[in-house]
């Protein structure tokens, strides 16, 4: 699937329902579909439209709703996967809910995914020693949402609206709302709680700004990329935490001159970021591999995932043929402060590549 790529802002949103239609038509043997929504930037897919396309063909839709634990509990938030008709969704309650870390759950409905099969797959991957604390945290969150969810999320939405307005008043801080992130060629819907701020006009990177905020104000941002920072509000925020965030951001603005001359990240054009899948991912991942200097990796098949965090979306998957623009993106990104934790060599001075049959 191709995401909706905003070439002006250099950001990707979930694929449209129309691109699911096209791909499912092209591949009638597809067993199902998977989509991530919301993205870590808060942008959401047309899940109802995608589910309808899948179901017309008797195929299930699975949604990675890691960032959407709060969505079911307020009507003004984007629809959550189960209401939109998805068959399975996976949600990290420790992200936008109040679960302890590792408190991820899946929901299932309908008949396209057999609950017994799903259970057996979960059993294969899950621990045999589940934590009672995690279960208790999940149950506590469930109860809190049933009893107070709507009111708590109303407060969060009101707070997000006022925080967005105040940040937008800081010169050069371009708060990204529905006008920037939704509409044709962009996302279907937007969760307003992640407050994404584009600082491209200020001559620094999101990486530098996020490091500065952590060092000087002990404020940890949810996301930083080459041109944006994002403050993730939740139902647990209040006027006090918002005031601290706003004071930190305004101090950041006052010190922005100290952060200029940031190393530039060489972001590829959309057509350059899509790599050729030369070998099936599992064959590349489990096949014979070697670690080669980055310059030698161009043209080779990658045998690892190369994923900038955040947001944690892989740039290169095992099986994809590495190109110079993508490698340059990752290497210039690392110089600028991007973190690539899943690479064998996190600095990407070298890359793990597949040894292909012909010895290259
Ligand atoms: C879109 C998305 N899916 C899944 C995950 C992983 O979720 P978990 O923390 O439940 O393993 C993340 C983590 O950030 C994510 O951003």
């Amino acid at each position: 699937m191709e995401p909706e790529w905003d070439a002006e802002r250099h950001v990707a949103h979930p694929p449209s329902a129309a691109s699911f239609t096209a791909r499912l038509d092209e591949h009638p043997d597809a067993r199902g579909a998977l989509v991530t929504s919301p993205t870590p930037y808060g942008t959401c897919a047309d899940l109802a439209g995608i589910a309808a396309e899948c179901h017309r063909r008797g195929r299930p839709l699975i949604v990675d709703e890691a960032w959407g634990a709060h969505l079911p509990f307020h009507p003004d938030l984007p629809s959550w996967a189960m209401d939109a008709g998805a068959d399975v969704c996976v949600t990290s309650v420790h992200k936008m809910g109040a679960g302890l870390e590792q408190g991820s759950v899946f929901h299932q409905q309908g008949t396209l995914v057999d609950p017994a099969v799903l259970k057996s797959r979960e059993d294969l991957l899950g621990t045999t020693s589940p934590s009672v604390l995690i279960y208790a945290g999940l149950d506590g969150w469930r109860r809190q949402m049933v009893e107070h969810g709507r009111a708590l999320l109303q407060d969060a939405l009101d707070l997000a609206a006022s925080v967005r307005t105040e940040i937008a008043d800081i010169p050069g801080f371009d708060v990204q709302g529905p006008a920037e992130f939704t509409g044709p060629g962009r996302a279907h819907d937007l969760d307003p709680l992640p407050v994404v701020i584009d600082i491209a006009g200020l001559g620094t990177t999101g990486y530098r700004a996020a490091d500065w905020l952590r060092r000087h104000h002990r404020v940890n941002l949810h996301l930083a990329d080459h041109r944006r920072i994002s403050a993730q509000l939740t139902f647990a925020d209040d006027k006090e935490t918002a005031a601290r965030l706003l004071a930190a951001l305004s101090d950041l603005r006052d010190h922005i001159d100290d952060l200029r001359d940031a190393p530039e990240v060489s972001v590829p054009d959309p057509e350059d970021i899509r790599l050729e899948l030369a070998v099936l991912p599992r064959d590349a991942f489990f096949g014979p591999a070697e670690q080669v200097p980055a310059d030698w990796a161009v043209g080779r098949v990658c045998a690892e995932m190369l994923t900038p965090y955040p947001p944690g979306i892989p740039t290169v998957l095992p099986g994809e043929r590495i190109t110079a623009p993508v490698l340059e993106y990752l290497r210039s990104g690392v110089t600028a402060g991007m973190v690539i934790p899943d690479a064998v060599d996190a600095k990407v001075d070298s890359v793990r590549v597949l040894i292909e049959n012909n010895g290259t």
Side-chain angles (χ1 to χ4, degrees):
M1 301 299 311
E2 296 295 334
E4 295 294 293
W5 175 255
D6 181 337
E8 185 194 328
R9 292 183 179 79
H10 277 129
V11 67
H13 301 301
S16 65
S19 47
F20 276 85
T21 312
R23 280 288 180 273
L24 288 165
D25 284 348
E26 224 174 274
H27 299 281
D29 57 336
R31 298 283 299 276
L34 168 69
V35 66
T36 296
S37 176
T39 68
Y41 293 84
T43 60
C44 299
D46 174 10
L47 294 179
I50 298 171
E53 287 304 323
C54 291
H55 294 163
R56 196 167 301 138
R57 297 160 176 86
R59 301 296 188 228
L61 173 65
I62 302 173
V63 182
D64 176 344
E65 203 165 65
W67 287 102
H70 58 311
L71 299 183
F73 304 109
H74 198 289
D76 293 349
L77 287 165
S79 172
W80 80 298
M82 291 290 107
D83 279 354
D87 300 277
V88 169
C89 77
V90 191
T91 303
S92 307
V93 179
H94 49 271
K95 290 192 168 73
M96 290 303 288
L100 294 167
E101 297 289 334
Q102 299 178 19
S104 292
V105 298
F106 52 75
H107 300 265
Q108 180 276 341
Q109 65 183 359
T111 54
L112 291 175
V113 174
D114 180 349
V117 172
L118 185 61
K119 167 93 181 66
S120 77
R121 302 298 187 267
E122 185 280 328
D123 195 49
L124 193 68
L125 298 168
T127 175
T128 53
S129 317
S131 158
V132 172
L133 281 179
I134 293 176
Y135 284 175
L138 289 172
D139 198 37
W141 151 258
R142 180 202 58 76
R143 177 172 177 167
Q144 187 182 23
M145 283 300 105
V146 169
E147 292 184 349
H148 309 292
R150 172 130 191 190
L152 286 167
L153 283 159
Q154 185 63 56
D155 290 348
L157 287 167
D158 294 345
L159 190 67
S162 73
V163 164
R164 282 171 168 270
T165 309
E166 290 204 44
I167 298 175
D169 282 344
I170 305 177
F173 280 27
D174 187 4
V175 177
Q176 306 290 286
E180 289 78 19
F181 276 178
T182 63
R186 299 185 190 140
H188 176 74
D189 208 349
L190 179 69
D191 173 9
L193 297 189
V195 182
V196 180
I197 311 160
D198 195 324
I199 54 168
L202 294 176
T204 191
T205 57
Y207 306 119
R208 277 207 170 171
D211 287 348
W212 191 93
L213 286 167
R214 189 181 305 109
R215 191 169 329 116
H216 294 276
H217 287 270
R218 286 186 291 147
V219 167
N220 274 311
L221 291 178
H222 156 233
L223 183 153
D225 68 18
H226 63 285
R227 60 185 284 173
R228 282 165 288 258
I229 50 178
S230 168
Q232 178 75 65
L233 300 179
T234 72
F235 75 97
D237 279 295
D238 55 22
K239 286 202 165 58
E240 205 178 304
T241 62
R244 198 160 155 204
L245 170 69
L246 291 167
L249 288 174
S250 139
D251 197 27
L252 167 69
R253 182 63 186 85
D254 290 344
H255 287 85
I256 209 82
D257 285 344
D258 304 347
L259 306 183
R260 289 196 213 273
D261 297 325
E264 211 166 304
V265 185
S266 159
V267 182
D269 291 332
E271 60 273 12
D272 283 339
I273 209 155
R274 162 64 68 214
L275 300 178
E276 176 210 352
L277 186 73
V279 175
L280 284 178
R282 65 171 299 130
D283 293 342
F285 191 73
F286 292 113
E290 61 180 340
Q291 194 76 19
V292 299
D295 289 346
W296 300 3
V298 173
R300 298 285 302 267
V301 173
C302 199
E304 61 179 346
M305 275 208 281
L306 299 174
T307 310
Y309 268 85
I313 312 291
T315 301
V316 187
L317 286 171
E320 289 185 329
R321 202 172 289 285
I322 299 167
T323 61
V326 161
L327 207 54
E328 179 53 22
Y329 165 55
L330 295 170
R331 285 166 57 76
S332 61
V334 168
T335 306
M338 177 194 280
V339 179
I340 306 183
D342 50 3
V344 171
D345 175 357
K347 297 242 169 294
V348 199
D349 289 331
S350 61
V351 184
R352 186 174 166 84
V353 295
L354 180 71
I355 300 171
E356 289 177 84
N357 283 342
N358 61 7
T360 57

